[in-house]
Amino acid sequence: QVQLVESGGGLVQPGGSLRLSCAASGFTFSSFAMNWHRQAPGKERELVAAITSNGRNTNYADSVKGRFTISRDNAKNTVYLQMNSLKPEDTAVYYCNARRVSGLREYDYWGQGTQVTVSS
């Protein structure tokens, strides 16, 4: 079955770094665009970073540009989110998402999320 398993979250001080990983299985990873979303308490879920299936193109929310980097390893079926210069406002649950549109059919898979807390 389809699985997306995030890891790497935790507690970090402001200015610190974390690297999130998302291991995928049960589908053809290299055919899917991959995204990282986050949801803070009381706020809507927002798209943080996106990467195309071949890894050549990326996109970021304005709030994380220059601090976060999304990457993928199609040989390992894994997508990463390197987060530097973390701020308290980056505190949220981070979700991995796989998406693909094939003809009239849309595939949309989600992980269970990993908590990131930025606090001194």
Side-chain angles (χ1 to χ4, degrees), residues 18-41:
L18 280 176
R19 187 195 196 203
L20 305 184
S21 299
C22 172
S25 61
F27 63 99
T28 306
F29 180 77
S30 60
S31 296
F32 279 68
M34 297 299 297
N35 309 301
W36 285 98
H37 299 251
R38 68 185 180 187
Q39 188 167 20

Side-chain angles (χ1 to χ4, degrees), residues 12-79:
V12 63
Q13 291 188 342
S17 298
L18 280 176
R19 187 195 196 203
L20 305 184
S21 299
C22 172
S25 61
F27 63 99
T28 306
F29 180 77
S30 60
S31 296
F32 279 68
M34 297 299 297
N35 309 301
W36 285 98
H37 299 251
R38 68 185 180 187
Q39 188 167 20
K43 294 188 177 181
E44 292 189 355
R45 190 173 295 189
E46 64 169 338
L47 176 64
V48 173
I51 188 167
T52 53
S53 58
N54 59 15
R56 291 177 185 166
N57 297 100
T58 58
N59 208 357
Y60 298 92
D62 287 342
S63 58
V64 307
K65 277 181 183 176
R67 300 188 298 121
F68 289 11
T69 302
I70 188 171
S71 62
R72 65 189 296 160
D73 186 338
N74 284 349
K76 296 182 177 180
N77 287 358
T78 302
V79 62

